[in-house]
Amino acid sequence: MPAISRGARGNPQPLNISKWLNYTIVLAAVMFVLILIASRTGSQNEAGKTPQYHSHSIIPMADDDSFVMKQELVLDQFAANVEEAGEDENGLNNYDDFFHQNCLLEDASEWWPREEDWQSRTPFFLLIGARQAGTEYLSIWINLHPRVKPARTAELEYFLPQHFKHYDTKTSKVKVNEARQGLYESEYAVEQIEYDAAALTFEATPDYLLFSTLSRIPILCVLPWVKLLVVLRDPIERIAADYKSLAETVPKPSLDSMIKSDINLLRQADVLQDRVPMEDFAGKQSEREAWSRYQKLLSEEPSVVPIVARSLYILQLQEWYSGLREVGRDPDSEILVIRMENMIESPNDAYHAILWWLELSSLNAPSKNIPTEEEMTKGGLLSNALRRELETLLVPYNERLYKLLGWDRVWNASYQRQHAEEIKEEELEEEEEAAVEANLVMESSKQLAHFYDPPNYDEERGQQFTDKWCVLDGVSWYPPPNQDWQLRAPYFMLPGAKKSGTTALASYIMQHPLVQHSRTKELHFFNNKKFRDVYVNDERKTLVGEARQYMYEMDYHSDKLKRNSTLISMDGTPGYLFYSAMLPQRILCVAPWIKLVIILRNPVDRAYSNWAYAKRISGATASFERSIEHDMNSLERSGFLGATTPQGEEKCWSEYLSLCREGLLGRSFYEIQLRQWFNAFRSVGRDPATQIHIVFSENLNEDVQGEMKKVYKFLGLPYVKVKNEDHKVVSKYSSPVEKETRQMLQTLYDPYNQKLFELLNENGFAEGLQGIWDHS
């Protein structure tokens, strides 16, 4: 019997199945397009109105693609780390321990979502405080971005101890899947994140900063990928603003009595004691335990308002720094701290910094919804006596915060009064330095005018190199004269070796007034997965134009380089030396003018320092001897240690780079790395001696000024005396290298060191070798 339907009058009519299917397909297609458009619009705020962001200059869609690639890189890297940690329970990462101690999840591989990658953007970051420091304004700013999808409410408070109930009754562990399901179902528009691979969302709960001990375990169990955005303000002004906000909502005691109640509770928990505050930002265990006790006491004393505690920023941040390390994350890159004062003084700069950190396209800050000067000056609520008492209490904690974040003393009024003469001297020194800088600029404008012209090179070799390794597509290999600022972005690199003193050397170089900071010291532009996937084609050729455009936009202050023809910039990524089998070709395609300042250190000391640094960051307990076994196995499996010819060594080195994890031992085989860089420069018709300068960390420690004169001369910069020589590479370890281990490693490295010295002598780098590493 044929299918039937009811006609206009209710009589049975034959159904045209073919026609019905055609209508259905068309309708489905229309619905799909409408859903896709809606999911990618994402530009409505909570009130349903369209924010006025259309007038902003938005970087093209490639920037959104970069966010997706960044996410894939993070996921791949984390998965590799977890896999390696599973292979070696004594490895250098301890997030396995954190997971098993605190988190309940049947399949540990689901801790960091991969197939459901939308989860790692739901939320992608947390705005955790501080209260009354500008979080409300910052939430509005971030929600204006078209790639950001707002949460259902402004402050979710999902992980606060009074709300979070997803614990296993037997083990007290966090039930990860249950907590995630509750979070996704109740708090986020998940369907928008699923459909748009470049979209992200966030949660803004200021008290996650205050309850740092009680909130961080559930947060890091449920969201191990999450980044943290923190906004702070003058702690005393924050107290005044906090009190004023309470005045508008609840009956309250006087400000004096409220402060005293909180101080009494802090003392009861032993947070405040008559002792010199610790200097190490990582926190003494006793102080961390006291801070945890305070949070528990606070939950039992509803009459106490944490009006002072919320301004003890260092105690809250150090918990989050430690927490991220427990899951194998680097807090210096995963936590961004800004000041409310900056939001007022330079809103565009503050907004751009946040968007750059989130890998989002750049917008200008909104003309409205900016904190006002009036909101920043609530100090009239405080008597002079109370202000002085609070300053006495807070100054030591502020000092530790400045040390952690590398800030100047931006808030300490009492410090400024007590050290007025010192501050005046510092101001005079700054004026003198400004005068010196002005003279240097005038002098260098003539002295260095020719220095940035495209250098002479063998054009035939250069053509052979670009044909083999580069895709120019109409882009000049050397930028034209009207774009010569590109030759200084970057002009030079500090490619390594890691843990040989690159940070110290960079700090000295950056003191020069004609050296412009890049966005961060270690850009990792050329040695990340994104570069390989986006800017290298199937023929292993580098897409020069596209790579340069992204590099200039994201990594360098190109506007400053354009305005001042005497400024130069650098990239200080140590891995560029180590990955010598693949990176020289990439770098010389994009920046054929590049110079390298390489710093080397005694191979054994460098390897031990590498291990000690990784141990300190991760908290791992594996011995040095146990840790180097993995790398020794990789060296043996690759065949590098048994190779007898340069060609054989280079082939085996490429294999080793594909096998190694951290390269504890491999990074100290300097000869193979330098040899490949030397050959790369020759392949583009350049003399390595004119493009590379080598510093030995032992010589730098012995004579900072003398070595820096050589570095500045190599870079074509006028000499400037280096200050603050406290960045020397000094081996401060709890225990030295075992005698037997040192002897074994010296035996391993000796023949390769001898080959290194021969290579350097043959290529005009004999200076500085005398007596290095017990060799003449």
Side-chain angles (χ1 to χ4, degrees), residues 42 84 113 143 158 189 220 240 251 254 346 448 472 479 528 579 656 732:
E84 290 167 358
N143 275 321
Y158 187 79
L220 293 177
S254 68
S346 305
L448 304 180
L472 295 176
N528 63 39
Y579 293 101
Y656 165 72
K732 294 182 178 179

Side-chain angles (χ1 to χ4, degrees), residues 434-449 512-514 564-567 718:
V436 170
E437 179 177 348
N439 291 333
L440 281 175
V441 170
M442 293 180 63
E443 172 189 343
S444 301
S445 61
K446 296 180 178 179
Q447 178 180 341
L448 304 180
H512 200 289
L514 299 182
N564 190 338
S565 62
T566 63
L567 290 180

Side-chain angles (χ1 to χ4, degrees), residues 42-253:
S43 59
Q44 291 188 338
N45 57 17
E46 292 176 340
K49 297 179 181 179
T50 304
Q52 297 301 311
Y53 61 79
H54 300 287
S55 62
H56 298 304
S57 176
I58 302 177
I59 295 177
M61 191 64 185
D63 190 67
D64 299 327
D65 295 338
S66 76
F67 173 82
V68 178
M69 296 306 304
K70 178 75 171 180
Q71 285 299 96
E72 292 176 357
L73 172 61
V74 171
L75 292 171
D76 291 344
Q77 184 60 54
F78 186 85
N81 290 344
V82 171
E83 182 179 354
E84 290 167 358
E87 294 173 357
D88 182 3
E89 63 182 4
N90 294 317
L92 295 177
N93 297 296
N94 66 337
Y95 33 76
D96 239 10
D97 294 339
F98 174 90
F99 173 80
H100 291 299
Q101 290 172 9
N102 301 295
C103 315
L104 190 62
L105 189 63
E106 290 185 5
D107 186 354
S109 66
E110 295 179 356
W111 188 32
W112 190 295
R114 290 184 58 79
E115 294 181 2
E116 301 287 338
D117 69 299
W118 61 267
Q119 294 184 18
S120 62
R121 296 177 278 117
T122 317
F124 179 62
F125 70 99
L126 302 177
L127 176 52
I128 64 173
R131 187 170 292 281
Q132 294 301 318
T135 54
E136 181 179 352
Y137 291 104
L138 204 51
S139 294
I140 295 173
W141 287 16
I142 295 171
N143 275 321
L144 288 175
H145 198 284
R147 296 266 63 90
V148 175
K149 314 300 179 185
R152 299 195 191 279
T153 56
E155 295 185 18
L156 301 182
E157 300 185 344
Y158 187 79
F159 294 98
L160 288 181
Q162 62 267 36
H163 301 313
F164 190 84
K165 306 301 180 185
H166 303 287
Y167 292 102
D168 181 67
T169 54
K170 294 182 179 180
T171 63
S172 297
K173 294 181 179 181
V174 175
K175 294 189 284 187
V176 177
N177 278 338
E178 178 183 297
R180 283 179 181 170
Q181 183 176 359
L183 180 68
Y184 299 148
E185 289 180 353
S186 62
E187 308 295 0
Y188 294 101
V190 171
E191 63 280 359
Q192 295 186 35
I193 308 299
E194 287 185 277
Y195 280 116
D196 190 344
L200 60 88
T201 189
F202 71 102
E203 176 183 346
T205 300
D207 276 349
Y208 288 163
L209 184 62
L210 174 67
F211 291 99
S212 51
T213 305
L214 301 182
S215 295
R216 67 179 175 85
I217 288 178
I219 286 175
L220 293 177
C221 275
V222 179
L223 313 170
W225 59 82
V226 79
K227 297 163 77 77
L228 303 176
L229 177 59
V230 184
V231 57
L232 306 178
R233 70 183 295 185
D234 184 305
I236 294 178
E237 302 299 343
R238 197 217 63 78
I239 289 173
D242 206 353
Y243 182 77
K244 185 175 185 295
S245 69
L246 291 170
E248 298 167 351
T249 56
V250 296
K252 64 182 188 319

Side-chain angles (χ1 to χ4, degrees), residues 687-719:
D687 180 2
T690 67
Q691 301 306 118
I692 297 176
H693 179 76
I694 296 176
V695 180
F696 293 95
S697 64
E698 293 81 3
N699 293 341
L700 184 64
N701 280 351
E702 187 71 23
D703 183 10
V704 172
Q705 303 299 337
E707 290 299 312
M708 290 310 301
K709 282 183 179 179
K710 299 174 186 176
V711 172
Y712 288 148
K713 181 179 180 181
F714 169 74
L715 296 175
L717 297 172
Y719 172 67

